[in-house]
Amino acid sequence: NEEAKRQLADGLYARGMYELAAAEYAGLLEQHPESSQVDVCTFRMGECFRILGKSTDAERAYRVVFTKFPKSEFRFKAGFQRANIFLSAGREKNAVDLFQAVLDTKPPSDLAAASLYFKGEALLTLERESDARVEFETIVDNHPETDYYAYALLKLSALLGAGSQNADPVKAIQLLELAKKSASTDRVRAEVLYQLAERHFELEDYEKSAPLYQDLMQTYPDDERTIQARLRAAWASHNA
């Protein structure tokens, strides 16, 4: 019956047997198109396809959930994953529109921040820097409790770094200090330390940049930025 089939599909999904799970969900949806669980099954089928690298099939499933089930708890995630598929495929213009469609549905704060962030990334690829900045600033203003707060601050500081059209290393440092307080992972903390050291180096404030490079290398010896920082760190210590 329907319940037994759904439990089988869910069990396969939970065990990571995505190809078999997708087939079970597809059969379930074909046999019970009026089920109250259509949105759940369609979303999980989309997840299976996404993990299996079948982007076209995944996008189709996500589109069904997002457009046909406005009250589904999976609608926001479906819209977000659908937009990400277009972003990953290099279709940034479509991705911008789809992330905005998610934002228009007023999703929870974490998904709103994620949509704003990746919409900003897409806009940067399209060389729409001022529009991208608005997205990152919206995260900073409206979603400081999310992990994307620190990411947005990093992006905004990068847009003010040396070589950028609106270079302002002092402002960039202020943003990075905020990011330093909110960074929640070692990767982000290491990136913030590296960027802070770089900005102080650009200002020729070697007495501040040298200990920041040292902190980076001692605290996060395996991070990708540690290798990149070694020569600069040596010059910062020498000049200090």
Side-chain angles (χ1 to χ4, degrees):
N1 60 22
E2 178 188 342
E3 181 61 23
K5 282 183 171 293
R6 188 174 64 80
Q7 288 183 2
L8 172 61
D10 288 345
L12 293 168
Y13 178 84
R15 292 195 294 274
M17 302 171 73
Y18 299 114
E19 193 161 351
L20 291 173
E24 288 296 328
Y25 283 127
L28 182 62
L29 290 166
E30 183 177 352
Q31 294 173 24
H32 303 279
E34 303 302 322
S35 169
S36 62
Q37 299 293 312
V38 168
D39 62 321
V40 181
C41 294
T42 305
F43 176 78
R44 289 182 178 163
M45 184 172 67
E47 289 286 270
C48 291
F49 287 139
R50 178 180 62 82
I51 294 167
L52 292 168
K54 299 180 178 181
S55 299
T56 301
D57 292 329
E59 187 276 328
R60 187 181 299 116
Y62 293 139
R63 178 167 18 108
V64 168
V65 177
F66 187 74
T67 58
K68 294 187 176 181
F69 297 93
K71 295 183 179 180
S72 172
E73 64 179 303
F74 294 96
R75 187 191 188 201
F76 305 123
K77 290 182 180 178
F80 177 77
Q81 294 288 26
R82 184 185 177 210
N84 256 333
I85 287 174
F86 281 87
L87 183 60
S88 299
R91 297 174 62 179
E92 286 83 8
K93 290 183 179 180
N94 297 104
V96 167
D97 292 338
L98 291 173
F99 282 124
Q100 185 57 52
V102 175
L103 290 165
D104 289 342
T105 66
K106 301 292 188 281
S109 186
D110 58 338
L111 267 176
S115 298
L116 286 163
Y117 182 83
F118 288 108
K119 182 185 174 188
E121 289 270 35
L123 289 166
L124 285 178
T125 303
L126 294 170
E127 299 183 351
R128 294 169 55 184
E129 183 177 309
S130 60
D131 292 330
R133 186 181 291 109
V134 171
E135 307 302 316
F136 300 133
E137 288 173 346
T138 301
I139 297 173
V140 172
D141 292 340
N142 298 337
H143 305 284
E145 76 287 356
T146 69
D147 290 340
Y148 286 94
Y149 177 73
Y151 290 127
L153 288 167
L154 277 166
K155 282 293 181 182
L156 289 169
S157 69
L159 293 174
L160 297 171
S164 66
Q165 186 176 358
N166 301 300
D168 187 345
V170 174
K171 177 64 175 177
I173 288 170
Q174 293 172 351
L175 295 172
L176 289 167
E177 290 292 352
L178 291 174
K180 187 178 181 181
K181 296 176 183 178
S182 62
S184 59
T185 67
D186 286 350
R187 173 79 275 279
V188 177
R189 293 187 192 101
E191 186 66 29
V192 171
L193 280 174
Y194 175 78
Q195 295 297 341
L196 272 170
E198 290 284 289
R199 299 295 84 78
H200 283 296
F201 192 97
E202 291 164 7
L203 290 171
E204 299 183 359
D205 190 347
Y206 305 117
E207 291 187 0
K208 287 185 178 178
S209 66
L212 286 165
Y213 284 125
Q214 193 68 23
D215 191 7
L216 168 67
M217 292 187 290
Q218 288 181 347
T219 310
Y220 308 104
D222 298 324
D223 190 83
E224 60 193 75
R225 288 301 198 183
T226 295
I227 297 174
Q228 298 175 27
R230 285 173 182 165
L231 183 58
R232 288 270 229 184
W235 276 114
S237 295
H238 176 271
N239 293 336

